[in-house]
Each structure stands twice: as C-alpha cells, then as structure tokens.
Amino acid sequence: MTRAVLSLGSNLGDRFGHLQAAVTGFGVTVRAVSPVYETAPWGGVAQDDFLNAVLVVQDTGTDAWGWLRRGQGLERAAERVRDVRWGPRTLDVDVVTVQGAEGAVLSEDPELLLPHPGTPQRATVLRPWLDVEPEAVLPGHGPVVALLAALGPEAEAGMRLRDDLVLVGAPR
C-alpha cells in the first residue's frame, strides 16, 4: 500500500474544472482534499494566476510510478501542453511524496524525483498540505509547518484562499 501527497495546479481554461477533474480522476483513492488557493505564477514566466490544491491519496495497488502515471494521464485528458518550462498549463499534477510500507519512497530518477524538488520553497504546496495534514513531514526536510515558517510571511503574500471553490472528493 502506498500513500501519496499530490499537488494540483491550473492556470489555463476552466481552472477549477481541471482541478475537479483531477480529484474525480483519482476517485476512491482520495483521502483528503485541501482548500483551493489562487496563487501568483512561479518560475519567471509571465502568465495568469494559478488555482492550486493538494490531494492525499492511498491505494494498495499503486506504487510511486503508478501515481506519476495516473497524474500524467489526467494531464493528457486536460490537454496539457509542455511547451515552456514553468509555463501556463491546463493541469499540473506533481507527486510530492510517497509513503510505502517501509516508509518514505525516495527517488533520484529524473522522471520521478522524490520528494518532489522545490517543495520546501513552495508555499503553494506547503500551505494547502498543512490544511489537510497539520502534522505533515516532508521526508528529508522535516515538518511542513517549519518549512513554511522558514519561508517567512511574504511567501504566502501572493496566495488567496478561495472559499467559493470547493473540490469534492469521491465518496468512500
């Protein structure tokens, strides 16, 4: 059995619809869905704001590569185009971390780096993750609450909680 934390983002087209399609696509594996945040783009490419959220998923038959492939399949269904690194996208699904029976799954494979690189510096992942798991720990980096605090208050300045947008997970 593995348990994964997934980061979702969208800034093209029906942003909320793309996030909801991802939640729906992970189906009964969804254990928690964070609130939605509207965030300024990251990475230096001029583009519209993102909607971001975090999912916690769990499944007996899915390993780290399985989570990656499922996320990529949902990106394809949303007609994601990878033209510009950190550019605009209909849907981005990142595997942040995976826990297996023996603990944290670590990977240095360039296609599946675990934990996901950059996570300790991204309030757009850390804040929604804390909303669903206040005691979360990023393997190799420590408590998520400490990572977010280390970024300082300005890290969340470009983020706005969207209480009007509520993602609905599949009933279990």
Side-chain angles (χ1 to χ4, degrees):
M1 174 181 301
T2 63
R3 181 179 178 286
V5 175
L6 309 173
S7 173
L8 307 178
S10 176
N11 75 337
L12 284 177
D14 180 2
R15 300 177 303 162
F16 181 73
H18 292 306
L19 296 185
Q20 183 59 63
V23 174
T24 302
F26 281 104
V28 297
T29 67
V30 175
R31 297 296 179 260
V33 182
S34 79
V36 174
Y37 287 85
E38 190 157 22
T39 64
W42 188 93
V45 177
Q47 57 191 299
D48 293 336
D49 287 350
F50 278 84
L51 291 182
N52 292 101
V54 163
L55 297 181
V56 177
V57 292
Q58 185 173 322
D59 187 48
T60 56
T62 306
D63 64 6
W65 286 96
W67 295 120
L68 177 67
R69 298 294 180 239
R70 287 180 76 171
Q72 290 171 333
L74 292 165
E75 290 175 347
R76 280 191 302 279
E79 300 179 356
R80 162 115 188 231
V81 177
R82 296 177 187 269
D83 285 340
V84 178
R85 184 180 175 120
W86 295 316
R89 58 209 86 147
T90 56
L91 180 63
D92 186 32
V93 180
D94 287 333
V95 180
V96 176
T97 185
V98 176
Q99 293 285 325
E102 286 80 42
V105 176
L106 304 177
S107 174
E108 293 183 15
D109 188 295
E111 190 179 357
L112 180 61
L113 295 168
L114 289 174
H116 192 280
T119 298
Q121 294 81 35
R122 293 186 184 154
T124 58
V125 176
L126 301 174
R127 167 50 55 209
W129 187 5
L130 282 174
D131 288 342
V132 293
E133 289 191 327
E135 302 300 320
V137 174
L138 181 64
H141 298 275
V144 172
V145 68
L147 295 172
L148 185 59
L151 297 177
E154 65 281 353
E156 293 185 68
M159 298 178 64
R160 183 168 61 96
L161 179 62
R162 293 290 306 265
D163 286 329
D164 58 318
L165 302 174
V166 178
L167 295 167
V168 178
R172 284 182 270 154

